[in-house]
Amino acid sequence: MLKNTKKKRMLTDRELPPEVTQARRFGKTRSAQSAAVLEDYVELIADLLATSGEARPTDVARRLGVSHATAIKTISRLKREGLATGRPYRGVFLTETGQALAERMRARHRLVVDILLALGVPAEAAEADAEGIEHHVSELTLKAFARFLQSQG
């Protein structure tokens, strides 16, 4: 009986989902990838502002491992989207909307790290992996993560 179940599961794993379902999934991933860049920037800018009182494009570029030009371009996008403002010779600051997004991302990141740690993932790997997972996981899954962690505590 177990062999038949395994064989059946293997066959269904190879079946493609309906086109609409698959397109929706890939679309969600593309959207998350686009948003992930902005989310990483606002989270880092908030951290820099909290720890050093300023977030200069040069510091943002170095910490994200991108060129100064890339940082300037993305910071301009943050400003266009109402997430950040800039002051001449003063760096970048978050708007209320940007700050709220940074706080949501920090909470998502912490929850993903906590679930990975609970699964036995080493701390450094959990932190690194959370950087990608936090942008792609749904609210439904995050709630399940939180419930699981609460049940363990």
Side-chain angles (χ1 to χ4, degrees), residues 1-14:
M1 179 80 171
L2 185 59
K3 280 186 178 180
N4 289 339
T5 305
K6 259 188 173 177
K7 190 181 262 188
K8 187 176 183 180
R9 192 176 318 130
M10 287 176 61
L11 291 175
T12 58
D13 286 347
R14 286 187 246 156

Side-chain angles (χ1 to χ4, degrees), residues 97 99-109 139 142:
T97 305
Q99 185 62 40
L101 176 60
E103 289 169 10
R104 279 194 316 276
M105 291 315 302
R106 191 174 295 115
R108 288 173 73 95
H109 179 88
E139 288 298 321
L142 285 171

Side-chain angles (χ1 to χ4, degrees), residues 87-107:
R87 298 183 192 148
Y89 311 106
R90 293 271 333 272
V92 183
F93 297 88
L94 296 176
T95 63
E96 283 185 30
T97 305
Q99 185 62 40
L101 176 60
E103 289 169 10
R104 279 194 316 276
M105 291 315 302
R106 191 174 295 115

Side-chain angles (χ1 to χ4, degrees), residues 55-68:
R56 299 176 310 152
T58 301
D59 298 327
V60 171
R62 274 199 298 254
R63 289 191 173 271
L64 289 174
V66 299
S67 71
H68 187 263

